[in-house]
Amino acid sequence: MNQVNQAQERIIIFDTTLRDGEQSPGATLNVEEKLTIARALAKLGVDVIEAGFPRASSGDFEAVQRIAATVGSETGPRICGLARATKEDIQAAGEALKPAAKGRIHTFIATSDIHLQYKLRRTRSEVLSIVPEMVAYAKSLVDDVEFSPEDAGRSDPEFLYQVLESAIAAGATTVNIPDTVGYTTPSEFGALIRGIKENVPNIDQAIISVHGHNDLGLAVANFLEAVKNGARQLECTINGIGERAGNAALEELVMALYVRRQYFNPFLGREPNSEEPLTNIDTKQIYKTSRLVSSLTGMAVQPNKAIVGANAFAHESGIHQDGVLKNKLTYEIMDAESIGLNANQIILGKHSGRNAFRTRLRELGFELSETDLNKAFLRFKDVADKKKAISDWDLEAIVNDEIQQVPELFRLELVQVSCGDRATPTATVTLRTPTGEELTDAAIGTGPVDAVYKAINRVVNVPNELIEFSVKSVTAGIDAIGEVTIRLRHEGKTYSGHAANTDIIVASARAYISALNRLYAALAKQQAEASEVPVTAQ
């Protein structure tokens, strides 16, 4: 059965966390972190992983190539690389995707008049000639080609129909309709998809996909309306991260289709009471994947976030609590366990051994290398000495903190603070530098964390501006692990850091070092690239 026929039967989930999601300010991921997320997405059951934009940088090219080789097996998800409608971009994408059993090139060009005039400086006729040529070139490299008319939501529908028809005729098997700036409303977006179904003569030869941003908070609503009008692929991200206000959130779309499948079934030609899932997603992996992406990107999930927020299944109102105790259905439309959010069971303590630790991690879905397991176990023992019992949530925090592949250029060796309501907050830190030298310095601040950061800055000596500092408790209780997320700005770019510890001052220091290591690594890379001598023809 071909892709088009399959798409009539269910909804294809296209995850762009590693491409569009990574474009969130401060969410930059290194190759190892991208691989970690790609493995989680494969386990989650996404159909397509847009792994990156190969022509954008050597790092993006390597990430797409390694994800294609590691995750892109015959039984795994389809691996996609983004490319502008140019031969250079398409060629780079094709090369990066070679290791994948199922590779897809996703090429795009703008079609709205405002983009044509001010960004591309091209005419409609020029775009109409570029599209079939570039789609055909992509088709010569891979069997599966997706085409997107950028800013379709603000494009002239009649012109859009022409562009899509030419793309499909040239070999595009998926045509994606992006609401690039999050401008449309659900009824408008649904009408746009319906118009495409009715006015593009060869639309039956391609899957209709949608991509949308959340600038007006309407991305998920727009997508669900698109499904009702014929869209069969949804391009989304974990936690809804992405440019500006983000993308349509994968977890919200999947659970809307899961909880309300009786409503959506008829739009896919099914009986209303059919229990057949509308997507291939293993919903019990949603919460874990959300936590992983939040940890690695440094983008905290707001407590009232739908599906995966800390308050999503919490009830404080007495009336609500009474109803839930009598019957969960009174105030809960889905079970917390359906997204993998199990009861916070106490499972391990300081006397637990390495085998019990490894077994529980496997039950939670973590498959660690021996090196990562050793690091996580040592950290577990350290936490267990300070905390009577370790919960599943604690284990997730420990593992996510330890397996992050941030380049360890500066290493925190010691942090010590003195503070109080009648004392000047003072901090002393010792860092190991990239050359192996240990340096110690001290500073005073408005509080203990401020003092720690000032002392660290004196050692690292890289100018930066702290633009975000957030702390949250992993579990309840005075001995809870605290997670700290921070963001730094340097020369207009944002760098994030994340750490977890039972001591919030230590977690704050480690998170700051994590962000500074990202910043320092980026500066070192820029200097290395600037010093390279161009190769000239002999």
Side-chain angles (χ1 to χ4, degrees), residues 187-373:
S187 59
E188 290 174 318
F189 201 54
L192 177 62
I193 303 304
R194 186 167 62 253
I196 289 167
K197 285 273 289 183
E198 294 172 352
N199 293 284
V200 177
N202 52 359
I203 195 64
D204 60 330
Q205 298 172 32
I207 296 164
I208 299 179
S209 170
V210 288
H211 177 105
H213 286 262
N214 206 35
D215 298 74
L216 295 176
L218 298 173
V220 169
N222 285 345
F223 277 30
L224 294 176
E225 196 66 23
V227 167
K228 291 163 60 177
N229 286 279
R232 292 295 176 263
Q233 176 177 284
L234 306 180
E235 304 199 358
C236 43
T237 62
I238 301 295
N239 300 333
I241 65 173
E243 290 266 20
R244 304 183 313 279
N247 286 263
L250 180 148
E251 62 279 0
E252 295 177 23
L253 288 165
V254 168
M255 293 310 292
L257 293 168
Y258 174 84
V259 173
R260 299 301 312 277
R261 60 184 173 274
Q262 288 185 337
Y263 174 77
F264 285 101
N265 275 335
F267 295 105
L268 278 81
R270 303 180 181 191
E271 290 297 320
N273 292 325
S274 171
E275 293 296 319
E276 188 74 18
L278 289 171
T279 74
N280 274 345
I281 297 296
D282 177 359
T283 63
K284 291 190 176 181
Q285 298 295 322
I286 285 177
Y287 180 74
K288 188 185 301 93
T289 310
S290 166
R291 290 269 298 164
L292 176 67
V293 170
S294 175
S295 174
L296 293 181
T297 61
M299 302 193 72
V301 176
Q302 66 196 56
N304 64 324
K305 166 79 171 63
I307 314 299
V308 292
N311 294 345
F313 295 93
H315 302 276
E316 185 168 331
S317 161
I319 295 173
H320 286 212
Q321 289 172 344
D322 179 64
V324 169
L325 288 171
K326 291 172 178 173
N327 188 320
K328 280 187 176 182
L329 293 176
T330 54
Y331 287 102
E332 287 188 2
I333 60 171
M334 56 189 151
D335 195 319
E337 292 187 0
S338 67
I339 64 163
L341 184 57
N342 298 317
N344 186 25
Q345 300 171 338
I346 303 303
I347 50 161
L348 297 174
K350 67 179 181 179
H351 299 299
S352 299
R354 179 188 172 88
N355 188 47
F357 179 72
R358 184 203 298 268
T359 300
R360 188 57 191 141
L361 289 185
R362 282 179 175 164
E363 290 172 356
L364 291 172
F366 292 104
E367 291 288 345
L368 303 186
S369 67
E370 281 300 309
T371 301
D372 285 338
L373 182 68

Side-chain angles (χ1 to χ4, degrees), residues 511-527:
Y512 198 59
I513 290 294
S514 173
L516 285 172
N517 277 334
R518 290 179 187 271
L519 167 55
Y520 196 83
L523 292 178
K525 183 179 179 181
Q526 289 172 12
Q527 291 173 356

Side-chain angles (χ1 to χ4, degrees), residues 409-461:
L409 303 171
F410 289 93
R411 178 186 174 90
L412 182 68
E413 298 290 347
L414 175 145
V415 57
Q416 183 174 307
V417 299
S418 172
C419 60
D421 65 344
R422 299 186 185 279
T424 301
T426 306
T428 302
V429 300
T430 299
L431 302 184
R432 186 178 297 277
T433 70
T435 61
E437 182 183 7
E438 282 195 6
L439 297 178
T440 300
D441 214 325
I444 61 174
T446 57
V449 174
D450 183 49
V452 167
Y453 286 3
K454 285 178 177 174
I456 290 172
N457 278 335
R458 288 168 66 93
V459 174
V460 177
N461 197 29

Side-chain angles (χ1 to χ4, degrees), residues 114-161:
I114 193 168
H115 275 229
L116 294 180
Q117 181 179 352
Y118 295 106
K119 191 181 79 167
L120 293 185
R121 300 189 186 282
R122 290 185 181 275
T123 64
R124 289 185 178 187
S125 60
E126 286 176 312
V127 168
L128 271 174
S129 66
I130 291 169
V131 169
E133 181 186 357
M134 291 301 104
V135 168
Y137 180 58
K139 192 73 172 181
S140 71
L141 303 178
V142 294
D143 291 332
D144 187 359
V145 176
E146 177 172 333
F147 170 73
S148 287
E150 188 183 6
D151 204 23
R154 294 190 296 176
S155 297
D156 170 36
E158 296 301 324
F159 177 57
L160 190 61
Y161 303 153

